[in-house]
Structure formats: C-alpha cells, structure tokens
Amino acid sequence: MSAGKLKLVLQDSSEVEVEPGISARELAEQVNGELVERAIAAKLDDEIMDLARPIERSGVLRFLTESDDDEDALYVLRHSAAHVLATAVRSIWPDAGIGFGPPIAEGFYYDFDVKHPFTPEDLEKIEARMAEIVAGDEPFERREVGRAEAKELFADDPYKLERLEEIPEGDAISVYCDGSFLDLCRGPHLPSTGQVKHFKLLHAAGAYWRGDERRQMLQRIYGTAFFEKSHLEEYLRRLEEARRRDHRILGKELDLFSLQEDVGPGLIHWHPKGAMIQFLLRRFLEDELLKRGYDFVYTPHIARETLFRKSGHLQAYSEVMFPAMGMEGEKEDYRVKPMNCPFHMEIYASRQRSYRDLPLRYAEIASDYRNEKSGTLHGMLRVRGLTMDDAHIFCRSDQIEDEIYELLDLAAYIYGTFGLEYRLDFSTRPQKRIGSDEAWDQAEDALRAAIERRELAYAVDAGGGAFYGPKIDLKFLDAIGREWQGSTIQLDFVLPERFDLAYVGADNQRHRPVMIHRAIYGTFERFIGGLIEHFAGAFPVWLAPVQVRVLPVSEELDAAARNVSEAARAAGLRAELDNRAETLSYRIRDGELQKIPYLAVVGKREAEAGTVAVRHRGAEQKQVVMPVSEFVKQVVAEDRSRTLA
RNA sequence: GCUGACGUAGCUCAAUUGGCAGAGCGGCUGAUUUGUAAUCAGCAGGUUGCGGGUUCGACUCCCGCCGUCAGCUCCA
C-alpha cells in the first residue's frame, strides 16, 4: 500500500486505495458512476456516514442505496425525515423548543416544547409543510463546530444546550442544516430533503424530556417514512390489519371477555367462551405440572399487613398494592395480595423440612390485585386483577441449575404447543441489591449454565435483575411483532431470609433453602390476550371454545342434526346446534365470522346416509362429506394432538 | 400518574351556526323451510358516560368527575 493512502474494501470485495479525505461520493464517482445516482450514504465498517463526509481511515466500505430492505438505509431516511418534521414545525411555530428526534424501529419521532399541544389539524398542516420542504430539495449540510460556537448557535434551545453539556470534551460537535433549520445532531443524513420521498405523520402524544416523569413534558410527533410509496401504503395497511386482530376488538366480536365501568378499570370479566379458553389452558398446564412433580396449594386473597411487612412488600411494593382495609375491632389492617409468594413461604415454614424433601414445588393458580397506573392499562395485556400460574420452588443451592433447566424445558414445551416464538432475557445483578457477591456469582452461574445446557439463544440485560436475585424472562412475540413478557423465572435470596426458612441437611445442620419464583404463562389475562392476537381469533381446535357447530339444512332435519352434535359431545367435543330459522347461507356466514373450526351441515342426503357435509375453517376444499363417526373421530384426534392448524 | 383525543341504542356510526335524537347490523315477533359467507316484513330498544353550569332551549358551549384510546413513565 502506498504511503499515506487508505485501503477500502468495497462490497464486491474489490479493494481500492484512496487518498485520505476523499468523500464517499467522490469515491462512488471513481468506482461506478451509476452508484452516485443511487447512493444515499455510506457505511464504513460499523459507522454510517454522509456521502459528503471525508473518509479518514481504512476499512470495509459499503454504499447505502434507496432500499426499504436495508435497515441502515431506512435509519438514515427516517432520521432525515425527523429533521424535515422539525424544519416544518419550526417554520410554523418559530419559538417551538426542540428536543430529540431519532429514527426508531418503524419510523421516527421528534419532541417539541410548544405552548399548545398539537391537534390532528396541526399534523395535517405540518405534513403539508413537510411536503413543501421535500419539494424544495434543500441539501443537508454537516458542519463541525467548536463548543463555544455551538453554545451560541443553540443559545435559545435549552434542551440542545443540555445535550451539548454531555458531549465529552474532545469529541467532535456536529450540526446539520437543511434550509433554515439548524440542529445539533450526530447525523448521518441523506444528501438532501428531496430524498425523503414517502412519509406519514401518525400521531402526537406527550413524552417526558429524557423519559423522566419528574421533568418537562414535551409533545412528540410520530411518523414513518419509506423509499417506496408501495411500502408506505403496505405499512399503513399493516397497521389496519393489526387493528383487526386486536384482542380488544376480537374479544368483543367473539364474546370472550369484557371490562365494566361499574366494576373498575383493568378488571377482566371472562365470558363463557373466554373462560373456556382459560379453563383449557389451566387443565393443560396442571396436567403437565403433576407429571413434573409439583404440589398444588391454595392460599387466601387477603392477609394482615404483618405478612407483607415481613415479606417486605409493604416497604418495597406498596405503591402497587391496593389500600389497607380497616376492620372494626381489629388492630391490624388487611391487604389484598399483589403476589402469592409470602403465603407459600408460610406453608414451607409451617413445619420442619429435610434436605430429602427438596426440591419442593408449590403451584397455585391465583388471583392477585395490583393497582397499576391508570394510563398503563391495556385490554387484557395489562390489568389490575391478574390470574397468575404461579409457583415457588424451594431447593438447595446445588439443585438450582437442574431446576432452572427443567423450567426452561417446561416453558419450551408450553410455548411450542401454542406455536409461540419467544426470546430469552437473562437479567443480572443490579447496582442496588442484597446478598453477597458469592451468592450472586453462584446464582448467575447456575442460571447461565442451565440456559447454555439447553443451547438457547439469550440476551443479557446487565443490571436488570431484581434486587433480590437474577432472573430469566421469556418474551413472546404476537403476530404483529409486538413483544410481551410472559414467563419469568426469578431466583430469590431475600424471602427465605426474611421468613427464616430452613432445612436440615445431611450434616444435621440448619441450612437456608433457595427459592425460585416462576410463572410460565405469566398471567392468563396477558397470555390469552396474546393468544387471541397470535391466532387472530381463529383458535386451533384444541383451544376453540366451540369446536363444532352443526347446521340442519331445514327444520325437519333438526333431529338428525341434534344427533350429530350429541355424538360429538359424547366424544368430549365442544359442539353446538344452530337450528335458527335463518337460511343456511346466513348460518354458515355467522359460523365463519365466529371462526368456528368445523361447521357440519346435515341435509336430507346426509341424514339418510349417516354422514355430514363438513366445512373446515380455512381448508382448501370447501366441504367434505364423511360419515358422522369418522368426522367425530377426526376432530377428537385433532383435539387430542393439539394440532395448531 | 402525566399529555392529548374521544365517550350518542347490544355493536359500528350519523345528527347544519345551540332548535323534535337517526341508520345499518344485532335482538324480538311473524311469514318463509331454506344445500354452503347476509330471505322478507313489523316491533322494541336512548335521562346522548356521570354531576354541575350557561341559555327561552344543550348530544352540541363551559367546569368537575368516571371511563376508553394513543404515547410517556412503569411492568406479568
């Protein structure tokens, strides 16, 4: 390599030598004139940079082009779109304060400090102004400035000044300018505003400055942008689609659950069909827990405050607990429980335990009540009355790894049965914690060993553990790609201490057991809410509240149809008869809209032959005629096998 | 909890500048007896979320509360 030159590896693996300070754009001109037209930015190793930025080091260089399949390209586009948004807002409201405006997973936002929050009409106005700015095709110009100059430039922008203070001494301070708008910004950006082709502002909402609820609330505008118009339209269609599979809407349409204003927010009423799903999930899990060596326990819904003082909930968790219930003539107030662990601790402590007894696994499907902030409630996915499939495992420290391994196996089995993909988060010791470093080392090692023994991919959330122990969370994705925490497996050093739990070891000495909190579904509310969206309401046979609906073609076939539905019921299926005085078409349509897996039509021909004309939801073949016995056998087999189709 | 928007029949939505609260679906009744995604007709259904206020008159304007939605914060 010639002295002083840089060596760049291009995406076709060719290597070029260039003078330091050459811009990506100049390089593109040298290499391939066509690239200049298409390139919007460059990526040198892991750093995305403007086309106009001088290249000062060797590395692998890739040109980013206008592609909605390229996350990096979208990142640049959306970042620039955020700037166009801010440019528009500033041009309409010159005294609007500006916060941050980053690209995010599906778009971008920008935070503004304005006297009056944005109205939907404002958004339209802003969008129109943005279109003008894009049409104006102003170049994004980057400039590096000194700290003093930066302070001067942003003298009227307190949020930018605050950010400026955080940029370490010695780091470059860059500003970007597009037309009249100047922003303190790291970049990178598109060459000009004209390339922000297809964008849409979605909504405005308040957002705390720096995400801190004690600080100023700014007004955030969300939007998205794509290079291709069709992709923007597709995205907006997908938002519509998401709405159609929203569990709150399906819950109403399929009559699964409701919330009642009289009763209170976040308190779910399970209607018969929703309750059936919960029942099926319970039965499935409980059968599995029996096989896996659990004991079932039942504990009260309320307890004296003494208990929660002992457990520490009153001190650490009181803001989420419902207020104390005073009792005439009782010295001590009662509380409704937010968790079940203290009760299970009491059962453990109720007698002496031997090392031979361990592990002990206490399972309880229990209702807990938590006074979650009103603004966070969301259908079934975040509620105040929650039904956990809770369990507490008491074991010796040498048993932790095997227990965790077993729990991961159980979770994998359960999630697999529903066809849910999940992600593992391993949260390690936080700053504020109790317990010795040795205990934490041992606990974290045991968790990690169990995860790795199962060869599971996981993300580490360093410092994300609870103050009483590290944890593993399972997050499942619904069909729209939103992430929800379902399972949680948490080690606890604190409660065994607080309740002075012990077992007698082989050495005839008193030892402290380790406790594991765990929930596989998490809560039935959230899990089933997630399932509704995952299946878009079309539950597989084994979960469908109604599996078979039998439709007589006309009134004189009622008896024959009833025989079919009774045969199905006798075989353990959930079958019903729809002999309403409506046309067959009407009843078929209703059955389809209710997403019932099997509609079995009984006409004269079927009645005479002992068959049914079966319409299977989603099947290619619209209907198949088969003997009643065969039909029942088939659905029973599908039910037993928990087939997902 | 915070910011904003919204709240009309079981559901989805109308109702001009403040002037008699309506439609479709659903429900009920009757007719029709139906062969694979909506048969026809009639009827019932509302203190317009709740409570105040302004006004001759409030679904409409103002205030408070409750709830819902979006986001922030927080979390199963």
Side-chain angles (χ1 to χ4, degrees), chain A residues 50 79-80 83-84 86-87 98 110 133 137-145 149 153-154 174-194:
Chain A
D50 302 328
H79 192 181
S80 297
H83 272 236
V84 172
T87 309
I98 47 175
Y110 212 111
I133 292 161
D137 200 15
E138 292 281 352
F140 280 102
E141 284 170 5
R142 181 183 206 273
R143 197 152 66 81
E144 288 193 10
V145 297
E149 189 187 347
L153 285 171
F154 297 102
S174 61
V175 298
Y176 277 80
C177 176
D178 61 289
S180 60
F181 180 65
L182 180 78
D183 201 355
L184 177 70
C185 176
R186 205 176 57 221
H189 280 289
L190 299 170
S192 76
T193 61

Side-chain angles (χ1 to χ4, degrees), chain A residues 48-326:
Chain A
I48 305 174
M49 51 200 290
D50 302 328
L51 280 185
R53 274 290 284 289
I55 298 170
E56 305 288 3
R57 59 187 169 86
S58 299
V60 176
L61 188 103
R62 188 164 73 84
F63 287 100
L64 303 184
T65 56
E66 296 190 347
S67 165
D68 290 322
D69 297 326
D70 182 345
E71 272 179 40
D72 292 331
L74 276 179
Y75 179 92
V76 175
L77 169 69
R78 289 165 174 175
H79 192 181
S80 297
H83 272 236
V84 172
L85 166 59
T87 309
V89 168
R90 266 282 171 88
S91 82
I92 302 172
W93 297 276
D95 56 350
I98 47 175
F100 289 154
I104 51 175
E106 306 224 301
F108 61 89
Y109 67 78
Y110 212 111
D111 288 340
F112 302 97
D113 188 4
V114 283
K115 284 189 198 72
H116 302 289
F118 299 111
T119 63
E121 295 74 50
D122 288 339
L123 289 194
E124 280 174 35
K125 208 156 86 183
I126 295 165
E127 218 171 55
R129 181 62 57 86
M130 286 174 72
E132 290 168 23
I133 292 161
V134 169
D137 200 15
E138 292 281 352
F140 280 102
E141 284 170 5
R142 181 183 206 273
R143 197 152 66 81
E144 288 193 10
V145 297
R147 192 166 293 267
E149 189 187 347
K151 277 188 184 168
E152 212 167 294
L153 285 171
F154 297 102
D156 297 329
D157 288 312
Y159 302 103
K160 293 294 172 185
L161 287 179
E162 185 178 326
R163 175 74 191 103
L164 194 55
E165 291 304 316
E166 294 167 0
I167 298 176
E169 213 54 56
D171 278 21
I173 297 170
S174 61
V175 298
Y176 277 80
C177 176
D178 61 289
S180 60
F181 180 65
L182 180 78
D183 201 355
L184 177 70
C185 176
R186 205 176 57 221
H189 280 289
L190 299 170
S192 76
T193 61
Q195 281 155 300
V196 180
K197 295 215 172 96
H198 306 290
F199 61 89
K200 172 93 184 148
L201 297 186
L202 298 170
H203 53 262
Y208 300 109
W209 168 240
R210 309 312 289 272
D212 185 338
E213 64 182 327
R214 289 164 307 192
R215 305 196 64 178
Q216 173 80 19
M217 179 164 267
L218 306 180
Q219 295 302 317
R220 175 172 298 178
I221 296 178
Y222 283 91
T224 194
F226 291 86
F227 290 107
E228 298 281 340
K229 189 173 182 200
S230 64
H231 291 158
L232 175 63
E233 287 166 351
E234 188 186 310
Y235 175 76
L236 296 175
R237 262 202 308 279
R238 204 147 55 77
L239 291 183
E240 274 298 305
E241 160 75 5
R243 201 182 131 69
R244 270 201 297 281
R245 55 199 306 160
D246 188 313
H247 75 282
R248 292 166 300 184
I249 292 172
L250 287 169
K252 201 173 277 178
E253 285 175 2
L254 304 180
D255 199 17
L256 302 174
F257 73 96
S258 67
L259 291 151
Q260 304 294 338
E261 194 171 335
D262 279 352
V263 179
L267 301 169
I268 302 294
H269 296 66
W270 296 82
H271 295 200
K273 288 182 179 138
M276 178 55 72
I277 297 169
Q278 192 192 128
F279 167 80
L280 295 163
L281 257 58
R282 280 177 186 243
R283 192 168 63 179
F284 173 49
L285 181 75
E286 286 176 340
D287 285 349
E288 195 57 33
L289 294 185
L290 283 175
K291 290 181 202 157
R292 291 177 188 245
Y294 281 77
D295 297 313
F296 295 139
V297 298
Y298 297 107
T299 63
H301 288 65
I302 58 171
R304 290 200 168 105
E305 289 201 327
T306 323
L307 180 70
F308 298 113
R309 204 167 290 123
K310 194 185 202 179
S311 69
H313 284 87
L314 222 46
Q315 298 87 313
Y317 207 68
S318 61
E319 75 279 10
V320 192
M321 292 174 72
F322 278 94
M325 291 177 271

Side-chain angles (χ1 to χ4, degrees), chain A residues 336-482:
Chain A
V336 64
K337 65 177 171 182
M339 292 185 190
N340 312 304
C341 29
F343 301 83
H344 294 189
M345 305 298 293
E346 295 283 351
I347 295 175
Y348 181 96
S350 67
R351 48 161 288 185
Q352 286 209 324
R353 306 290 175 181
S354 151
Y355 71 99
R356 296 172 192 275
D357 297 333
L358 303 183
L360 272 175
R361 307 185 187 91
Y362 292 158
E364 178 178 11
I365 289 175
S367 299
D368 295 337
Y369 293 87
R370 300 182 186 174
N371 192 16
E372 301 289 351
K373 290 180 182 177
S374 60
T376 65
L377 301 177
H378 182 89
M380 294 182 105
L381 297 177
R382 192 164 172 77
V383 296
R384 285 191 174 153
L386 37 110
T387 315
M388 296 183 71
D389 63 314
D390 207 2
H392 296 92
I393 298 172
F394 302 89
C395 64
R396 306 187 306 260
S397 55
D398 62 288
Q399 293 171 320
I400 296 174
E401 187 188 324
D402 281 349
E403 285 304 310
I404 302 291
Y405 181 84
E406 165 63 22
L407 285 172
L408 291 171
D409 183 70
L410 174 60
Y413 172 66
I414 300 284
Y415 277 61
T417 304
F418 295 96
L420 289 171
E421 302 277 327
Y422 61 88
R423 198 169 74 87
L424 275 190
D425 272 355
F426 174 34
S427 302
T428 58
R429 71 192 77 186
Q431 291 276 324
K432 225 179 106 186
R433 61 177 183 270
I434 66 130
S436 68
D437 283 351
E438 293 75 52
W440 276 92
D441 285 341
Q442 196 197 353
E444 288 175 2
D445 287 349
L447 291 190
R448 191 179 293 107
I451 297 173
E452 285 173 0
R453 182 140 65 98
R454 287 206 59 86
E455 297 180 346
L456 294 167
Y458 64 100
V460 175
D461 179 3
F467 71 92
Y468 48 77
K471 61 173 184 167
I472 298 172
D473 293 324
L474 257 73
K475 310 218 163 136
F476 63 85
L477 295 177
D478 64 20
I480 316 293
R482 285 179 299 192

Side-chain angles (χ1 to χ4, degrees), chain A residues 459-513:
Chain A
V460 175
D461 179 3
F467 71 92
Y468 48 77
K471 61 173 184 167
I472 298 172
D473 293 324
L474 257 73
K475 310 218 163 136
F476 63 85
L477 295 177
D478 64 20
I480 316 293
R482 285 179 299 192
E483 194 173 73
W484 296 97
Q485 179 174 329
S487 305
T488 184
I489 300 170
Q490 311 184 351
L491 277 192
D492 192 334
F493 307 137
V494 177
L495 284 182
E497 195 79 34
R498 295 188 77 103
F499 282 80
D500 195 26
L501 299 192
Y503 65 87
V504 178
D507 56 2
N508 201 30
Q509 299 294 304
R510 230 174 101 92
H511 298 274
R512 185 80 73 204

Side-chain angles (χ1 to χ4, degrees), chain A residues 507-522:
Chain A
D507 56 2
N508 201 30
Q509 299 294 304
R510 230 174 101 92
H511 298 274
R512 185 80 73 204
V514 175
M515 204 260 275
I516 304 169
H517 307 252
R518 95 351 33 145
I520 302 299
Y521 293 131

